[in-house]
Every structure is written in C-alpha cells, then in structure tokens.
Amino acid sequence: MSATKLKQALRRAARAERDPATATPCTAVAETDNGVLQRYTAAAGQPSGHGRPLLIVYSLVNRPAILDLSPERSVVARLSAAGLDVHLLAWHPPGQARQPLGLADYVLGDIEDAVHWLDKHYGTPPHVLGICQGGVLALCHAAIAGLTTPRSLTTLAAPVDTGTPGDRLAELARDIDFDALVKATGNITGPGLASVFAGLKPFALGPRRYRGLEALAEADDEAITTFMRMERWMYDGPDLAARAFAEFAREIYQRNALVHGELALDGHPVRLGDLRIPAFNAYALDDHLVPPAAASALGEHLGGPCHTQAIRGGHLGLFISGEAHRALYPELINWLATTEGAP
Amino acid sequence: MAGTQSSDQQNGDSTRGDWAEWLAGLRSSADPLGVRGLLERSARALDSARTPAQAAAALAEALEAERTRQRTGHEHLEALLGEWARTLRSLAPMLPDSGPGIAPPLLGPFPRRQALLQALISQSDDYQHALANHLECLTTLAEDCTTAYRDHLLEQTGDDTPIDPDVLMDAWMAVAEPRYEAWLAEPETQTRIAAVINAWSALVATLRELADDTLEAFGLPSARGLDDLAAELQRQRRRHRSEIAELRSEIRALKAQISAQSAPRDNPPQ
C-alpha cells in the first residue's frame, strides 16, 4: 500500500461531507411521539405517487441513510420512481429521559400513529415496509388486533426465527442478563452496539475494508462521499432506549417469542397466525446478522399468503447491491401493484 | 492509606501507567472486548515486515507484549483490590454494624451500605476474573493463528524470501479470519463473553448505587432520581397513548354504526 496515496485518500475523505442531505429530497409531514414522518418527493421527471402510500419502518439500530446512500442505489428513489408515495418513520434517538421506552411504545404508539395518519390522510391504509428490526416491529403492529391494518406488509432481513442454527447474535445473547445490563448502562450507546456488530466480522470491516482506501486517492468525489457516508452509517448509529433494547434481546433473541406465539406488548398478544394481509419477505443468502433461515421462516408462521425472495450477498446488499436494485425492487414493485386490488 | 498510595506511585509509576492505558482501552465503548485492539496491534506488527520470517517474528513479539501487558495489568488490579479491601476492613470498626464479635444490626441503613461495599469487592473480583479469562482465550487464539501463519508462509515460500507486505497481510487474514469466526461460534467463547458482560453489569450497578447514595446524602440529583422522573414521564405517556387508542376505537365503532345505518338508504331494496 502506498503511503502517499493513502495520505491523499485520507485527506480527501476528511474533506468529504460526512452528513449531507439525503440523496432524495424529503419533507416532514407529521410527528409521532418518538419520530417524524418524512415524505419523499419523486425526482424530477418521475411520476409522483398520489394514492399509493407506503410507510417504511426502519430499525431502531443504525440510521435509515443506507436506504438513500446515493441516487443510483437509493431504495426510496426506486420506490418513488415506481409511483409509490414513500414515507419513512424516522426515529428520534432516545435521550436519558426516554430510557423506559419499551417495544409497546414504538409499536402501539409511533407505528400505529404513522399508519393511522396515512390511512386518514390518503383514505386508504398504507403498504408497510419493515427493515431488519423494523420488520419485526412492523410485524408486531400488523399482527395486533384492533390497530389500523396495513394494506400489505413487506419485510427485508427481519430476524423472525432466532432459534435457527448458526444465528450468531442469538448465540451470543443466550447467557447475557440484558435487564442487568441496561440497569447498569441505561440507554445502549450506538458506538457500543456498532462494536458488537464489527466484532462479528472484524477482518472484513477492518483491514479488508480500509485497504480499499488507497484506491480512493484518485476516485471521483461521489465515490469518496459514498464511502464516508457508509463509514458514518456503520459507526454513528443512534443510542437505543434501555427498556426496548432489553425487551427485544430477551423476547426475540433469547425466548424466540415471536415464532412461539408468546410475545405480547402491553398485554396485546402478537399472533403471526392471525396476520392475513399479503406479505412479501426478502432476505440475503450471506447475511451474517440475520441469517437466511431466521428471515425465511416468516412464511411458515403467517396466516396469509407470503411471497418470499432471496438474493445473493450480505445484509447491506439488500439495500445497496446491484442485484437488489436489478431484481429485488422491481419484483417488489410489481408485487405491491398486485395487492392494490386486494380488499 | 495515603502513605501506601504514595509508596506505590513511587515504585510502579510506569507499569501503573501501562495498566491504566490498557484498562482505558477496554473501557472504551468502541472495543469493550479487546478484539479490535488485538487486530490493530497485529496489523501494526505486520507493517514493517518484508519477509515471512520477519512477519511471523513481529506477530509473535506483538502477542508476547500483549500477554505481558495483561499479566502486569492483572497484578496491579490485584494489588489495588487488596488495598481497597484493607481500607474497608480498617474502616469497618468505625461503622456500627460490623466489627469482631459484633452481630450486625438488622435494622437501619448500615447493613445495606455494608452489603453493597462487600458486594463491590466480590463483583470487582468476578469482573477481573471474567475479563482475564476472556482475554487469555483471545490471546491464545491469536497465538494459534500466529503458529498457523508461520506454517502457512513456510509452505508457500522460504523464510527469508522478500514478499510484498500486502501479500503478507492477505495471508494473515486468510489464516486468522476463519479461525476467529470458528472461535466465536464456540459455545464456550460465547459463555465467556456473556460472563464478562454480566460481571461488568453487576459491578457498575453497585457502583451506581453507591454513587447515588453519596449524591443524595449531599442533597444532589442522582441517576436514581432521574430514572424515577423518567419512569413517571413514561407512566404519563402510556396513559395518554391508551386514552388515544380508546378514542380511536370509539370513533371506528361510531363510523361503522353510521355506515350500517346509512347503508339501507344508499342501497334501497329493489
């Protein structure tokens, strides 16, 4: 590795904007207790999607910037371009006063508020797209009786069945006392959690990733910006509310309560078998965070039809890979259109 | 106590500095289990290597330095905990609930304080033990990787043949990465990591409680007080949410009722 080129790349990286505006313009249209509902504006020349609202529920871990990292690999831009009116429930990171926020607050409060707002505003319930942990939250919302029912539910890399072999996060979580942990720490810090994820693949995310830096010395500005946005995305995750973190780790990763039908939020049972709206479930075949078996199990537990699709690549590939943008999103867009006629 | 501290400072300033640095590194939320630090040290060791022999020697040297650092840190932590225990023992006769031959009273605030202080000693010990155990296993893994790396390089080329540093680094990753991942998948490794986290949680919870006691004794805000406020806010928030849910449900029911009532007028029977 040339030291001169490396220095040059680092100098350019230091100058690159690390926190630019989203690649796709968006505006805040409503607020929930712990988030803001953002509406993405279709790019110039693209159709605007009035009448087909879609709500993205992102994970509480990391930030949704990965869905809009660059114009070429933007999930929100692709969905907007297909005529969907894309909204994102962007979570506010919890401060110390919100340590006691639990999963029920996010699901029965924020997600229900956002779905209800869109239903009222558009006169039709939205399609909901839940990502990673957000997929589990969206599943919980859709499966709880008495809440606003979405038109359809899509999950991307959602850890549904954590009892499948080789689920490293579930294995590591097995003997940890999460209630004691959050009693000691309060909210879980974003960097602390990032270090756990990096610890699963320290070589890939350390030496292998940074050896590519040299090539950035002569790359165009867009490549540098994308690299730095990814860098920020990996290590600048938001803190997690203490109680919600402990509940998720205990219920989903230790007790596997979602697939065992034992999960209840504020006394409301979450029964996947009662969920009969159309579902689309996608996962990546080399995902080390949410193994294929953990995500693909969803179809076996739902009471309604579930379209399942797998693509090659890792966790992030679902959002930024060429294959995802060539094959997965066009398929999803077609599938969403077929659900438009569903009651 | 002050005299003992001064004497220790005179005798072991340099090693204590190393220990503090080592512990500070582990405390960092960016590397709570020391994996990243070990990876960085191994990468740095390979930086100046130009032949397989140099690479293997540099890695072995880096790991030996890590082991020495751990040993020194362990000894110093033992010494500090010993001092701590001695101090608490010397203070104990001044407190009303302890002392040779005196049964601790059942009532009053002192038994709780004593129990916390005693728990702190055993929890410090548990944490130190769990951390040392984890780091020992991590370092042993790194040593196994170094041996495999040396063998791998010897198979590929002679000991003193100059090799591109990038190739040396590639070979190190090819050898170490699968071994690391297999090690992480072992239930024993997972149990050890959980033991570090659980021991740390118990230790910090007790420290927080003692710190809160002290702050509250001086009439200052404590973390416990702030937690209580947050819990109160949460109760209000949940009540508010529950009321909104009830209102929405009533509105839905009313709409359904209105719709049912107006249906015959909209669609009169033929």
Side-chain angles (χ1 to χ4, degrees):
Chain A
M1 189 183 284
S2 150
T4 314
K5 280 193 171 178
L6 185 60
K7 278 181 191 164
Q8 193 184 339
L10 287 173
R11 265 199 302 273
R12 292 190 65 199
R15 281 198 301 269
E17 181 142 31
R18 293 194 74 186
D19 191 18
T22 53
T24 310
C26 63
T27 51
V29 292
E31 279 192 38
T32 64
D33 198 24
N34 299 295
V36 59
L37 190 60
Q38 293 176 343
R39 176 174 183 248
Y40 286 89
T41 315
Q46 300 288 352
S48 68
H50 290 296
R52 298 177 66 197
L54 178 137
L55 172 67
I56 297 176
V57 178
Y58 195 72
S59 168
L60 299 167
V61 181
N62 292 118
R63 298 180 199 272
I66 195 76
L67 304 177
D68 197 32
L69 215 54
S70 68
E72 297 74 30
R73 300 283 167 89
S74 165
V75 175
V76 291
R78 195 158 296 280
L79 296 171
S80 293
L84 289 153
D85 207 340
V86 179
H87 293 73
L88 167 77
L89 181 51
W91 303 114
H92 292 315
Q96 291 302 308
R98 293 193 176 229
Q99 285 182 36
L101 281 180
L103 294 178
D105 296 293
Y106 289 111
V107 173
L108 304 174
D110 298 274
I111 298 178
E112 170 59 9
D113 285 352
V115 173
H116 184 262
W117 188 91
L118 288 166
D119 185 21
K120 202 171 152 191
H121 190 76
Y122 285 85
T124 179
H127 299 287
V128 172
L129 166 58
I131 290 170
C132 191
Q133 183 198 34
V136 173
L137 300 181
L139 271 168
C140 291
H141 172 266
I144 289 177
L147 302 180
T148 312
T149 308
R151 176 165 288 278
S152 73
L153 180 65
T154 298
T155 52
L156 300 183
V160 175
D161 185 353
T162 58
T164 55
D167 192 324
R168 200 70 70 237
L169 284 177
E171 289 170 358
L172 284 165
R174 189 186 54 222
D175 295 329
I176 295 174
D177 183 342
F178 288 102
D179 291 314
L181 176 64
V182 298
K183 190 178 169 203
T185 61
N187 289 343
I188 297 293
T189 67
L193 208 55
S195 77
V196 172
F197 294 139
L200 297 179
K201 291 270 178 193
F203 290 87
L205 296 174
R208 280 196 208 287
R209 174 167 168 76
Y210 295 125
R211 287 178 76 195
L213 269 173
E214 193 184 0
L216 288 177
E218 284 151 16
D220 58 28
D221 288 347
E222 186 58 35
I224 296 257
T225 303
T226 302
F227 183 89
M228 291 310 288
R229 278 186 184 175
M230 179 63 93
E231 194 70 4
R232 180 178 170 79
W233 182 83
M234 284 199 292
Y235 296 108
D236 285 353
D239 294 351
L240 268 79
R243 181 175 173 173
F245 172 81
E247 284 178 351
F248 196 83
R250 192 182 57 235
E251 297 300 313
I252 303 300
Y253 276 102
Q254 287 182 330
R255 295 184 59 234
N256 202 8
L258 188 61
V259 297
H260 290 154
E262 294 168 354
L263 184 62
L265 300 180
D266 263 7
H268 299 272
V270 178
R271 295 199 186 96
L272 294 183
D274 290 349
L275 213 166
R276 301 194 191 286
I277 57 172
F280 184 104
N281 179 34
Y283 58 91
L285 291 166
D286 301 313
D287 193 335
H288 71 288
L289 294 174
V290 182
S296 65
L298 178 62
E300 299 161 25
H301 299 279
L302 291 179
C306 182
H307 179 101
T308 302
Q309 189 163 350
I311 65 163
R312 282 171 302 184
H315 192 70
L316 298 185
L318 274 172
F319 318 113
I320 56 175
S321 76
E323 182 170 344
H325 284 265
R326 266 194 313 275
L328 174 63
Y329 293 107
E331 177 78 12
L332 171 61
I333 287 161
N334 285 339
W335 179 85
L336 287 170
T338 65
T339 66
E340 286 296 312
Chain B
M1 180 67 190
T4 317
Q5 271 180 338
S6 306
S7 147
D8 267 9
Q9 277 164 3
Q10 282 161 11
N11 294 339
D13 261 346
S14 59
T15 41
R16 177 168 289 187
D18 288 347
W19 160 245
E21 184 197 343
W22 182 74
L23 190 63
L26 288 169
R27 267 206 312 266
S28 157
S29 63
D31 192 22
L33 295 173
V35 174
R36 195 187 175 104
L38 194 59
L39 196 68
E40 278 175 11
R41 281 191 281 282
S42 64
R44 210 176 300 137
L46 285 176
D47 249 6
S48 53
R50 294 294 176 270
T51 66
Q54 285 172 0
L59 278 175
E61 203 175 306
L63 288 172
E64 190 47 43
E66 177 62 25
R67 224 179 240 297
T68 306
R69 239 146 56 123
Q70 284 176 21
R71 211 163 28 236
T72 311
H74 189 80
E75 285 163 7
H76 273 273
L77 191 55
E78 286 270 11
L80 287 171
L81 286 172
E83 278 175 24
W84 199 350
R86 273 195 298 281
T87 307
L88 289 173
R89 271 200 300 275
S90 62
L91 285 174
M94 289 184 265
L95 298 172
D97 67 335
S98 59
I102 301 170
L106 292 172
L107 305 175
F110 300 105
R112 184 181 150 274
R113 183 82 52 89
Q114 281 295 310
L116 281 176
L117 289 168
Q118 281 164 9
L120 196 58
I121 296 172
S122 66
Q123 287 164 349
S124 303
D125 202 31
D126 289 348
Y127 173 58
Q128 182 200 5
H129 180 74
L131 184 61
N133 198 11
H134 163 70
L135 289 173
E136 173 63 26
C137 293
L138 185 62
T139 312
T140 302
L141 166 75
E143 282 172 349
D144 292 346
C145 290
T146 309
T147 307
Y149 181 55
R150 192 182 296 127
D151 294 346
H152 172 81
L153 289 176
L154 278 175
E155 271 174 29
Q156 304 295 314
T157 175
D159 235 6
D160 296 317
T161 317
I163 299 185
D164 183 341
D166 278 353
V167 175
L168 288 173
M169 191 64 190
D170 279 339
W172 170 239
M173 287 191 285
V175 166
E177 190 168 28
R179 283 174 174 76
Y180 173 81
E181 289 183 6
W183 173 81
L184 196 62
E186 288 169 13
E188 296 79 15
T189 302
Q190 294 158 2
T191 302
R192 277 192 300 268
I193 290 174
V196 175
I197 294 169
N198 292 341
W200 182 85
S201 301
L203 175 63
V204 173
T206 304
L207 279 171
R208 272 185 68 166
E209 205 163 337
L210 284 166
D212 283 348
D213 283 352
T214 310
L215 288 166
E216 286 168 9
F218 285 106
L220 294 169
S222 64
R224 189 159 50 209
L226 294 174
D227 287 352
D228 190 39
L229 280 176
E232 185 54 38
L233 279 172
Q234 180 67 2
R235 276 192 288 276
Q236 299 289 340
R237 204 181 288 127
R238 288 201 164 187
R239 210 163 81 181
H240 181 61
R241 196 187 70 217
S242 156
E243 284 168 0
I244 290 178
E246 268 178 42
L247 284 172
R248 278 185 187 153
S249 169
E250 282 173 22
I251 291 170
R252 258 198 300 268
L254 281 171
K255 277 185 176 170
Q257 205 179 336
I258 292 166
S259 159
Q261 282 168 355
S262 60
R265 282 199 299 277
D266 292 344
N267 302 299
Q270 299 296 311

